[in-house]
Amino acid sequence: MFEAVVAGATDPDIEGVEVVRRAALAVTAPDVLAADGYLLGTPANLGYMSGALKHAFDTFYYPVLDSTRGRPFGFYLHGNEGTEGAERAIASVTTGLGWVQAAAPVVVSGAPGKDDIQGCWELGATLAAQLMG
């Protein structure tokens, strides 16, 4: 799913957009402040977002709170059971940050199929296209 999102975001038809990848445990507030938009991905562990994504939000939430309002974001997640808790948590945090959802999320339960992978590609391409100068 990650590779499909990156492939969509780096499509050759999308110009002037630099895609920077950061692992959730490595992302910093300066990384978030430097970005014009965000594409989040996480497994839904036990129905909730990964601990790594939660840690990332905990790390940068307050330092970026007033500076990133209105920026576009998208997200994708994969779970083998319920994903509702992860979806609610991401919606809650991003609403608090004032980010604007740029595209419908890609939510996959079970093994990702061809349509899921295509949805991830489209998610990446949609967000990147919105950031084109």
Side-chain angles (χ1 to χ4, degrees):
M1 293 173 67
F2 171 77
E3 293 302 326
V5 167
V6 171
T10 57
D11 184 275
D13 290 336
I14 298 171
E15 298 176 351
V17 176
E18 177 186 2
V19 175
V20 178
R21 296 172 257 188
R22 292 285 187 267
L25 291 175
V27 71
T28 65
D31 293 330
V32 176
L33 290 168
D36 296 321
Y38 315 98
L39 225 161
L40 313 169
T42 184
N45 297 321
L46 305 172
Y48 194 69
M49 73 175 120
S50 68
L53 184 56
K54 172 73 168 69
H55 173 78
F57 282 140
D58 288 345
T59 299
F60 68 69
Y61 187 90
Y62 288 108
V64 309
L65 183 59
D66 294 325
S67 301
T68 61
R69 292 193 181 282
R71 292 187 186 173
F73 84 99
F75 73 93
Y76 64 97
L77 55 89
H78 174 256
N80 289 321
E81 298 192 18
T83 59
E84 299 82 8
E87 293 176 69
R88 274 192 307 276
I90 292 170
S92 177
V93 174
T94 55
T95 296
L97 287 166
W99 294 356
V100 178
Q101 192 164 341
V106 176
V107 179
V108 178
S109 293
K114 183 178 179 180
D115 290 344
D116 300 319
I117 299 302
Q118 180 63 31
C120 287
W121 188 96
E122 291 170 5
L123 176 63
T126 298
L127 186 60
Q130 289 184 25
L131 295 172
M132 282 181 23

